[in-house]
C-alpha cells in the first residue's frame, strides 16, 4: 500500500480554525437554550412570588347583607271599629254607638275597691283585677274604681243640658260599652289628682301591659273631642294596647284614621 503525503502546516491550521469555530457555535447555542429555560422558570416563579408579596390587587371585602325588611304583621282588621260589642269599637262625639241604647251581654261585677260598685264586660273586668294586683305587688300602689259601666238612661241624666264638656252625650259614652273605667286610689285620690299622683304615673306607664290605654291625653283634645282625663282608661286588649304603645300612637282616632273631635 502506498503512503499518503504528509499534511502541510497550513492545512492543519485551517482544520483547527474550523473545529474551534464549530465548538464556539455549539457553546453559544447551549448558552441561549439554557438562558431561555432559566428565564421561563424564573418568570413563573416571579409571578407566584408577586402574588405572595401582595403586589396583586386585593380582593374586595364581601358586602354586608342588606337589613331585613320590616314587615308590619299587625292585623288592623282583627276586630270591628263599629260593632258596639267589639273591644276595638271607636265611640266619640261624632261616632255614636249603634244602637245608641246598646247594653253589653256579658257584664259582671268587678271585685276591686270602689266608690260605686263597678261593672264591666268580663274580659275587661279580668284585666282590671290583674292590673290592680300588679300595681300593689310591683309598686305598693292601691287603686280603686270610681266609675265603670253606665247605661244609656244614666248618661241621659248625667249629660243634662250638655254644659259639661267632659260628659259624653247619651249613646256616645265609652262607659256604655262596658270597657271603660275611671280609676283612682284607695286613699281617696279621684279624678284630677291622678294627674300628678304616683299611682297615675304608674298607670300611664303600665296600663298597656293589661290591655288599657289612657283614652283622653292632654295633648289630643282636638282629636278625641274631650278634655284631658288622667283617670279614664279604656280596655282595647293587650295586642292593640301594646301596638299603640310601641308605635307611640295615643288615640284610637289616630291609630285607625277615623273621625273624632267635638260634635258640630
Amino acid at each position: 500500500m502506498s503512503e499518503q503525503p504528509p499534511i502541510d502546516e497550513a492545512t492543519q491550521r485551517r482544520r483547527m480554525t474550523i473545529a474551534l469555530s464549530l465548538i464556539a457555535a455549539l457553546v453559544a447555542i447551549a448558552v441561549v437554550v439554557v438562558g431561555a429555560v432559566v428565564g421561563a422558570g424564573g418568570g413563573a416563579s416571579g409571578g407566584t412570588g408577586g402574588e405572595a408579596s401582595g403586589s396583586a390587587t386585593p380582593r374586595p371585602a364581601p358586602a354586608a347583607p342588606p337589613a331585613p325588611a320590616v314587615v308590619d304583621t299587625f292585623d288592623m282588621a282583627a276586630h270591628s271599629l263599629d260593632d258596639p260589642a267589639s273591644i276595638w269599637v271607636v265611640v266619640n262625639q261624632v261616632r255614636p254607638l249603634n244602637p245608641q241604647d246598646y247594653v253589653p251581654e256579658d257584664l259582671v261585677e268587678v271585685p276591686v275597691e270602689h266608690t260605686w260598685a263597678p261593672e264591666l264586660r268580663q274580659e275587661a273586668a279580668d284585666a282590671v283585677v290583674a292590673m290592680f294586683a300588679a300595681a300593689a305587688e310591683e309598686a305598693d300602689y292601691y287603686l280603686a274604681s270610681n266609675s265603670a259601666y253606665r247605661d244609656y238612661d244614666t248618661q241621659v241624666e248625667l249629660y243634662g243640658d250638655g254644659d259639661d264638656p267632659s260628659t259624653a252625650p247619651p249613646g256616645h259614652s265609652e262607659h256604655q260599652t262596658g270597657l271603660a273605667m275611671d280609676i283612682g286610689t284607695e286613699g281617696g285620690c279621684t279624678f284630677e289628682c291622678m294627674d300628678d299622683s304616683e299611682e297615675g304615673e304608674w298607670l300611664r306607664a303600665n296600663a298597656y301591659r293589661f290591655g288599657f290605654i289612657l283614652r283622653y291625653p292632654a295633648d289630643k283634645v282636638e282629636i278625641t273631642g274631650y278634655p284631658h282625663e288622667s283617670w279614664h282608661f279604656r280596655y282595647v286588649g293587650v295586642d292593640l294596647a301594646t301596638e299603640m304603645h310601641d308605635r307611640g300612637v295615643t288615640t284610637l282616632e289616630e291609630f285607625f284614621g277615623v273621625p273624632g273631635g267635638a260634635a258640630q
Side-chain angles (χ1 to χ4, degrees), residues 1-246:
M1 186 172 64
S2 59
E3 295 182 2
Q4 292 184 359
I7 301 173
D8 60 20
E9 186 177 349
T11 300
Q12 289 181 348
R13 285 199 300 268
R14 190 166 48 253
R15 289 180 178 178
M16 183 64 70
T17 301
I18 293 172
L20 291 174
S21 297
L22 290 173
I23 291 171
L26 291 173
V27 170
I29 292 172
V31 170
V32 171
V33 171
V34 171
V37 172
V38 173
S45 174
T48 304
E51 291 182 1
S53 65
S55 61
T57 303
R59 294 182 180 180
V70 177
V71 179
D72 186 2
T73 59
F74 186 80
D75 184 1
M76 298 284 285
H79 299 280
S80 171
L81 306 183
D82 304 310
D83 182 353
S86 167
I87 62 171
W88 287 5
V89 63
V90 181
V91 54
N92 54 38
Q93 292 197 35
V94 297
R95 286 178 58 88
L97 292 169
N98 183 20
Q100 291 196 30
D101 60 355
Y102 164 74
V103 178
E105 296 180 355
D106 58 345
L107 289 171
V108 296
E109 289 189 9
V110 189
V112 296
E113 291 296 321
H114 56 268
T115 304
W116 292 282
E119 288 184 319
L120 289 176
R121 292 182 56 189
Q122 181 71 67
E123 184 176 343
D126 292 342
V128 163
V129 171
M131 183 166 65
F132 282 25
E137 293 169 5
E138 296 175 10
D140 203 29
Y141 296 148
Y142 297 90
L143 304 174
S145 170
N146 291 321
S147 180
Y149 170 71
R150 296 198 295 260
D151 63 20
Y152 180 86
D153 292 338
T154 300
Q155 200 65 26
V156 169
E157 295 177 9
L158 291 173
Y159 186 69
D161 295 329
D163 296 333
D164 183 356
S166 66
T167 302
H172 295 253
S173 173
E174 284 205 327
H175 285 283
Q176 193 177 328
T177 67
L179 298 170
M181 177 177 279
D182 294 340
I183 301 176
T185 73
E186 287 188 20
C189 175
T190 60
F191 305 111
E192 284 81 1
C193 78
M194 292 295 284
D195 287 348
D196 303 316
S197 70
E198 292 181 356
E199 291 88 348
E201 183 178 352
W202 187 92
L203 279 169
R204 289 188 289 274
N206 293 279
Y208 78 94
R209 295 164 45 200
F210 306 91
F212 287 88
I213 61 171
L214 178 69
R215 184 63 176 97
Y216 304 124
D219 59 341
K220 299 297 173 69
V221 174
E222 293 184 0
I223 292 172
T224 63
Y226 292 101
H228 172 51
E229 293 187 0
S230 57
W231 56 90
H232 182 108
F233 287 83
R234 157 69 191 274
Y235 182 76
V236 295
V238 173
D239 290 344
L240 176 54
T242 300
E243 188 73 12
M244 292 177 67
H245 173 270
D246 291 348

